[in-house]
Amino acid sequence: MVQKLGFLKESPSQTAGPYVHIGTTPNWVEITGVWKEDLGLVLVGPETKGERIIVKGHVYDGAGDPLKDALIEIWQADAEGFYNSPQERRGRADPNFAGWGRQPADGVTGEYKFETIKPGRVPYKDGRLMAPHITFWIVARGINIGLHTRMYFGDEDAANAECPVLARIAHKARIPTLVATRGVENGLPTYTFDIHLQGEKETVFFDI
Amino acid sequence: MVDQGPFFQRDRDWHPPAFTPQYKTSVLRSPQQALLSLENTISEMTGPVFGHDKIGPLDNDLIRNYVQTGEPIGQRIIVYGRVLDENARPVPGALVEFWQANAGGRYRHKKETYLAPIDPNFGGCGRTITDEEGRYRFRTIKPGAYPWPNGVNDWRPAHIHFSIFGHAFAQRLITQMYFEGDPMIWQCPIVSTIPDQAAIEQLVAALDRNNTLPMDALAYKFDIVLRGRRSTMFENRMEGN
């Protein structure tokens, strides 16, 4: 026997279940009057700096059907590449941009949609710049532990080509699963980022 | 308080794997490719902060936060505990959200069709922020067991869902709390997605008679552990050792 190291174990994850909205977006499921507004629905205000964009898509299961009960959270830097977090030591983020958003997939179509800003570049641990990206976290019924992935931008070919994280993906054919296509919707640049949980087009998920 | 260093790697043999066929929905919703292991970058070592200004006075009181005509029916309980990291350090300022069915096992959700009635005075959602010692506390009605279409006669044990934000997106966690002594814990296909019995027991809240309010409410203690961080004792690199 040796001395115990004394660490605790992380609480094990469990699925968020089909009714995750009750606790995370209660107003959206018509549980009104408990709290004023659901957290994370609105990311940008008139004072927020940066290019307004729409990020939208679906989360598909292994049969190609969209999840209508998924909950999607995003976390991203501001337009200058700073995170609005006490852990950010490189500078001060835009005080008018929290950087975190949360949206339920539509109960009928399964589409999710965020109105946000395009993030600036942030450094990898060795100082090289990563390409602009948005961190995604997906939970739903049938998902036992939240899935982490990243969305990169289809109009950032040069930055994507030198991103140290994308370079870690050995199977280059899988890199496009992380790159959103740019279009225009209601006059705003719109990035479509579909997430495939399983199968031929399976999105790259991270153990971070 | 400002944390340092990257997070301990997640023990994915302790957590449930993605593919757990006894929980049928996981079959088509589980990635088949290996996860890409990524050392923490600033994108995961940072995370949102929620101020107390977001929280209303009744947000942690499910007995009173949806009152329409009177108080909800069911067993009054207090659920309390601490949010710690794997180093056993408290995690202050953590947003903890919780949701649950009513005493009869019925959720207030438009897609829910179980025949047990909704309680007109019970919403089922709450939230709070941990104090400087990582403590949280809320008051609610003990949820009932709930049947679900998985096997032909599968029932969820009484449970409360928890969503926790630590200090970084890498710590993000959703889990479920179960109640001491419930025999259905050991029959549930969702509980058994967790391979290790000791890990399951970490999700079972203990009845705590010492914190029970006599003639009012029973108490259950439920501590939550988030990922710990490496120290920065040896500052040979700016980003930590």
Side-chain angles (χ1 to χ4, degrees), chain B residues 151-222:
Chain B
V152 291
N153 191 23
D154 280 339
W155 291 71
R156 299 301 324 282
H159 64 279
I160 300 177
H161 297 264
F162 278 73
S163 161
I164 309 105
F165 290 83
H167 293 170
F169 218 51
Q171 290 179 307
R172 193 77 182 84
L173 184 71
I174 280 184
T175 189
Q176 301 182 27
M177 180 198 110
Y178 304 101
F179 291 84
E180 179 180 357
D182 185 343
M184 284 194 290
I185 294 170
W186 307 103
Q187 302 164 6
C188 173
I190 287 179
V191 172
S192 73
T193 61
I194 301 172
D196 189 316
Q197 181 173 333
I200 293 171
E201 286 168 352
Q202 195 172 339
L203 298 182
V204 182
L207 174 66
D208 178 4
R209 295 286 294 260
N210 290 350
N211 274 287
T212 289
L213 291 175
M215 305 302 287
D216 182 345
L218 284 172
Y220 285 87
K221 174 171 178 278
F222 184 59

Side-chain angles (χ1 to χ4, degrees), chain A residues 8-12 14 62 73 75 83 89 102 133 141-142 144 150 168 198 202 205 207-208, chain B residues 3 10-12 14-15 17 23 27-30 33 36-37 43-44 86 97 172 175 178 202 225:
Chain A
L8 303 178
K9 292 297 286 185
E10 188 185 9
S11 297
Q14 291 268 262
E73 292 185 359
W75 173 242
Y83 283 100
R89 293 175 195 84
R102 171 191 269 171
H133 64 274
R141 175 172 67 104
N144 289 325
R150 287 185 174 192
R168 292 280 315 280
Q198 192 185 84
E202 186 173 311
F205 297 104
D207 181 18
I208 51 140
Chain B
D3 295 316
R10 204 160 234 169
D11 180 355
R12 289 184 180 266
W14 181 256
H15 286 284
Y23 174 27
V27 171
L28 283 176
R29 294 184 174 197
S30 45
Q33 302 291 323
L36 180 72
S37 293
S43 303
E44 297 82 33
E86 289 169 288
E97 300 165 306
R172 193 77 182 84
T175 189
Y178 304 101
Q202 195 172 339
V225 180

Side-chain angles (χ1 to χ4, degrees), chain A residues 81-154:
Chain A
F82 294 110
Y83 283 100
N84 195 334
S85 162
Q87 314 298 326
E88 172 64 87
R89 293 175 195 84
R90 298 168 302 136
R92 186 155 179 261
D94 179 353
N96 297 304
F97 184 66
W100 176 79
R102 171 191 269 171
Q103 290 282 349
D106 185 276
V108 177
T109 66
E111 186 179 67
Y112 74 84
K113 188 187 277 190
F114 293 93
E115 186 178 347
T116 181
I117 51 125
K118 194 169 179 185
R121 296 177 74 175
V122 300
Y124 192 54
K125 59 195 168 71
D126 61 8
R128 285 182 291 164
L129 289 178
M130 297 188 276
H133 64 274
I134 296 176
T135 298
F136 273 65
W137 190 71
I138 302 128
V139 293
R141 175 172 67 104
I143 296 177
N144 289 325
I145 181 165
L147 294 166
H148 280 272
T149 189
R150 287 185 174 192
M151 184 197 108
Y152 286 84
F153 294 81

Side-chain angles (χ1 to χ4, degrees), chain B residues 65-84:
Chain B
N65 72 14
Y66 199 76
V67 160
Q68 316 290 318
T69 58
E71 291 197 342
I73 289 172
Q75 185 181 19
R76 298 158 66 88
I77 60 169
I78 293 158
V79 179
Y80 80 96
R82 297 175 80 195
V83 180
L84 305 164

